[in-house]
Amino acid sequence: DIVVTQSPDSLAVSLGERATISCKSSQSVLDATHKKNYFAWYQQKPGQPPTLLIYWASTRESGVPDRFSGSGSGTDFTLTISCLQAEDVAVYYCQQYYSFPLTFGGGTTVEIK
Amino acid sequence: QITLKESGPTLLKPTQTLTLTCTFSGFSLSTTGMAVGWIRQPPGKALEFLAQIYWNDDKRYSSSLKNRLTITKDTSKKQVVLRMTNMDPVDTATYYCALRKIADGWYVEAYYIWGHGTVVTVSS
């Protein structure tokens, strides 16, 4: 199984500031032929199911604000919230879908400082 | 509009078998490319993939749980059923079903529509 390690476990960011979350996979999730990284990001607010934010490591899901961006390739990936809003308080998860079983990171809790 | 809804028992005793049903609308699981997965989340913990079933009845399972899991579909009823045997208190979690994404003809093994989840508690 591919292990996905997420950091930090939590972070507190001031409103309007940048939040950065990292994930590292135990093996590359890059399809070099098609230049696609099989990596996704989710947001989960309390009491709600997750919502898909990013797939292919950097493609925003429909309706996701452009302050959310994904980057990285191979084994190292980053989710950036460029200008934190109050409604962005949530737990964020990364996921690899390069191979089954699908595996998720441990989650990062984003709070307002 | 696509929706998914999980149903099943809320409380089980250890060693019992869990049967969960995902009832969906707005798509057909007989359409080429469609797939529905099950994911669970213990209280305060991370998401864990359990199983996925495809339009062609192909199936994928968690490595650690595959001996306990069975996923099936009933296309006419628009349902996906997950069965997990030999339940234990560590299986206490919210269980979600979700729809796998297709984007620009590519199969993205990530979930873009989720049910609200159903809470399952295992306790003697």
Side-chain angles (χ1 to χ4, degrees), chain B residues 97-117:
Chain B
C97 62
L99 180 61
R100 189 272 303 271
K101 184 168 180 68
I102 301 173
D104 299 322
W106 285 84
Y107 297 153
V108 180
E109 304 290 358
Y111 302 105
Y112 78 114
I113 299 179
W114 294 63
H116 288 292

Side-chain angles (χ1 to χ4, degrees), chain B residues 79-97:
Chain B
Q79 291 180 335
V80 172
V81 175
L82 182 74
R83 186 170 172 268
M84 181 182 294
T85 61
N86 195 24
M87 294 292 283
D88 182 272
V90 300
D91 297 313
T92 294
T94 299
Y95 287 75
Y96 297 99
C97 62

Side-chain angles (χ1 to χ4, degrees), chain B residues 27-39:
Chain B
F27 68 94
S28 172
L29 200 42
S30 60
T31 299
T32 298
M34 303 305 283
V36 171
W38 283 95
I39 305 97

Side-chain angles (χ1 to χ4, degrees), chain A residues 1 31 34 36 38 40 42 44 48-52 55-56 61 93 95 97 100-107, chain B residues 39 41 45-49 52 54 60-64 96 101 103 106-112 114-116:
Chain A
D1 297 6
D31 175 350
H34 299 100
K36 288 186 176 297
Y38 287 59
Y42 297 87
Q44 186 177 31
Q48 297 183 19
T51 58
L52 181 64
Y55 57 96
W56 297 135
E61 173 68 344
Y93 293 96
Q95 179 218 326
Y97 53 94
F100 279 88
L102 308 179
T103 46
F104 294 86
Chain B
I39 305 97
Q41 186 172 37
K45 295 188 177 181
L47 302 164
E48 179 184 18
F49 168 80
Q52 182 159 298
Y54 295 82
R60 296 288 186 270
Y61 290 103
S62 158
S63 298
S64 60
Y96 297 99
K101 184 168 180 68
W106 285 84
Y107 297 153
V108 180
E109 304 290 358
Y111 302 105
Y112 78 114
W114 294 63
H116 288 292

